[in-house]
Amino acid sequence: MQHPHLFLFLFVPLLLPGIWADPEAESQVLQLLQTNLFTNISSAEVSMVAFLGDLPIFALDPAYWSIHFHWPWARQATDEGDAKTIMSHYKIFLRNMVRYVHEIAQRAQLDYPLVVQIHAGCVLHPNRTSWGFMHVGEGGRDLISFDMERQRWELQQQSSLAELVTKTLTSKKAITGILEHLLSISCQSHILNLCKYGRAELERQELPVATVFARTPSPAQLLLVCRVTGFYPRPISVAWLRDGQEVPPGPALNTSTILPNADLTYQLRSILAAAPHDGHSYTCRVRHRSLGTRSLLIPWEDHSTAPTIGIAITVLFLVATASAGGFWWWKQRKGDEAT
Ligand SMILES: *[C@@H]1O[C@H](CO)[C@@H](O)[C@H](O)[C@H]1NC(C)=O
Ligand SMILES: *[C@@H]1O[C@H](CO)[C@@H](O)[C@H](O)[C@H]1NC(C)=O
Ligand SMILES: *[C@@H]1O[C@H](CO)[C@@H](O)[C@H](O)[C@H]1NC(C)=O
């Protein structure tokens, strides 16, 4: 069985470019990803992770339904305000949700196993406005969403299941009210608390490490590779300079997407196609927040020139030796003939 939440865990950072620390300057996203697997009418496996930007904040232990915080400060921040109340009630929410899904499964005569995913949270903008969101999916497809503005559930697919779920949830007026509060006020204040307690972690900066090397898929082709890794936060600029001029985007330039490393840093590579020995100089330039106003410049050193000269000298030397040897042999023979 695949773990969809693991999949989401890996890809969430990719979906949220440029979201990082300073609440004064950047938008912040707090989101919760929950995956529920219902194998049969009497079982439910719940897993859940919460992120602030690309930082995991807490996760649910699927065995005991207990919350594990990734950082001591995340626990501290969650001990304040609405979050404390919510945390003391989330097991009740989970139990109700499990019961509701089984009830719907029976009414809609769904076949087990069922996978229900919930993606909920809020975005807090630098101007202190925020908007909440909640999406529910079933079997890997969008089912319904909560529209914060109109305070109502919206179908995300045309099916009797989506209609049934929307109808039953709409009839539970209390849920709408609670959700509205959770996704706006509680979520927003939780972001501010997390930013307050987790400032050091959220403002963490890791320097990029860059290496330049070449690949020669064919004798007429030279691919210059600039590999940059170990940096944090995610936004970065990597460019190739040809004779000091930035190479514009085009078919010769191929820059990968930014991929996460296991240690909460990122990596990417930029590949430039060039002709071997074209007489140009090439340099990879990296700019990143951790470097301040400086740039990292890594020149491409064409090591292939040195061996070429070396071989040329060796060949010349061999030719010279052979000629001398030939001359000596010829003289010897002449001498022999003479005697
Ligand atoms: C339901 O699924 C759980 C977990 O997959 C399993 O342990 C249990 O035996 C199943 N129960 C029935 C009645 O099939
Ligand atoms: C606040 O900022 C967001 C994102 O920049 C923008 O969409 C929104 O309209 C702003 N709201 C107000 C009231 O200025
Ligand atoms: C860029 O690199 C990717 C992955 O290596 C490759 O699939 C793609 O064809 C490349 N694009 C160009 C224009 O070279």
Side-chain angles (χ1 to χ4, degrees):
M1 185 73 207
Q2 275 194 343
H3 286 277
H5 63 285
L6 207 66
F7 183 82
L8 286 166
F9 176 86
L10 290 170
F11 286 89
V12 157
L14 303 180
L15 303 174
L16 299 168
I19 288 160
W20 64 29
D22 191 359
E24 308 304 325
E26 311 279 342
S27 290
Q28 292 284 341
V29 181
L30 178 63
Q31 57 185 332
L32 199 136
L33 300 158
Q34 191 183 314
T35 301
N36 315 284
L37 168 65
F38 304 90
T39 316
N40 54 48
I41 187 97
S42 53
S43 91
E45 283 174 43
V46 182
S47 57
M48 183 241 288
V49 279
F51 289 91
L52 178 63
D54 58 4
L55 277 190
I57 298 298
F58 59 78
L60 182 82
D61 179 337
Y64 301 101
W65 284 12
S66 52
I67 298 282
H68 290 264
F69 289 92
H70 281 261
W71 324 92
W73 56 262
R75 177 189 292 276
Q76 265 180 308
T78 308
D79 266 345
E80 270 189 23
D82 281 357
K84 192 180 167 76
T85 323
I86 296 162
M87 284 301 179
S88 62
H89 289 104
Y90 77 90
K91 279 191 191 178
I92 299 172
F93 159 77
L94 290 183
R95 261 186 239 117
N96 285 339
M97 181 213 57
V98 166
R99 201 172 45 208
Y100 174 74
V101 171
H102 284 309
E103 199 181 292
I104 290 289
Q106 274 182 300
R107 282 179 63 177
Q109 302 190 321
L110 301 177
D111 292 329
Y112 288 91
L114 292 169
V115 177
V116 176
Q117 283 166 293
I118 300 174
H119 179 208
C122 64
V123 181
L124 177 61
H125 295 301
N127 59 16
R128 294 289 164 121
T129 61
S130 79
W131 62 268
F133 55 87
M134 178 155 181
H135 309 287
V136 180
E138 187 273 321
R141 289 177 42 194
D142 290 337
L143 187 70
I144 56 162
S145 291
F146 187 65
D147 184 333
M148 285 294 288
E149 221 168 307
R150 298 191 204 142
Q151 292 192 32
R152 66 175 199 210
W153 295 95
E154 301 279 351
L155 300 183
Q156 295 301 316
Q157 58 171 259
Q158 294 305 322
S159 69
S160 52
L161 176 64
E163 276 162 24
L164 176 64
V165 173
T166 306
K167 206 176 105 211
T168 52
L169 286 178
T170 305
S171 71
K172 297 176 202 277
K173 287 274 176 271
I175 291 188
T176 312
I178 291 170
L179 261 187
E180 212 271 321
H181 184 85
L182 286 182
L183 296 178
S184 54
I185 292 150
S186 311
C187 185
Q188 175 174 351
S189 76
H190 198 197
I191 289 184
L192 293 172
N193 279 335
L194 287 168
C195 289
K196 186 172 83 185
Y197 287 100
R199 189 164 283 275
E201 199 61 47
L202 293 163
E203 291 179 358
R204 179 175 69 103
Q205 294 186 357
E206 304 281 353
L207 284 165
V209 175
T211 43
V212 164
F213 56 93
R215 287 210 194 110
T216 44
S218 73
Q221 223 187 350
L222 182 69
L223 294 178
L224 301 179
V225 184
C226 182
R227 182 173 181 269
V228 187
T229 189
F231 57 91
Y232 191 90
R234 190 177 183 278
I236 197 162
S237 146
V238 176
W240 276 102
L241 307 180
R242 183 191 286 121
D243 302 326
Q245 296 293 311
E246 185 171 330
V247 177
L253 195 61
N254 195 349
T255 302
S256 73
T257 51
I258 301 176
L259 299 171
N261 289 323
D263 62 352
L264 268 177
T265 63
Y266 291 97
Q267 61 161 305
L268 87 163
R269 57 181 60 201
S270 180
I271 303 175
L272 179 67
H277 319 302
D278 61 1
H280 294 293
S281 77
Y282 291 97
T283 302
C284 176
R285 186 193 64 202
V286 180
R287 288 177 174 159
H288 186 254
R289 178 180 278 201
S290 64
L291 296 164
T293 53
R294 292 173 301 149
S295 297
L296 205 58
L297 294 171
I298 305 101
W300 152 244
E301 321 252 333
D302 194 352
H303 293 297
S304 65
T305 341
T308 310
I309 291 170
I311 289 164
I313 290 171
T314 310
V315 169
L316 278 174
F317 180 74
L318 284 175
V319 168
T321 317
S323 318
F327 182 69
W328 177 81
W329 176 80
W330 176 76
K331 269 199 90 177
Q332 284 290 310
R333 253 191 86 178
K334 265 203 116 180
D336 285 350
E337 269 169 22
T339 47

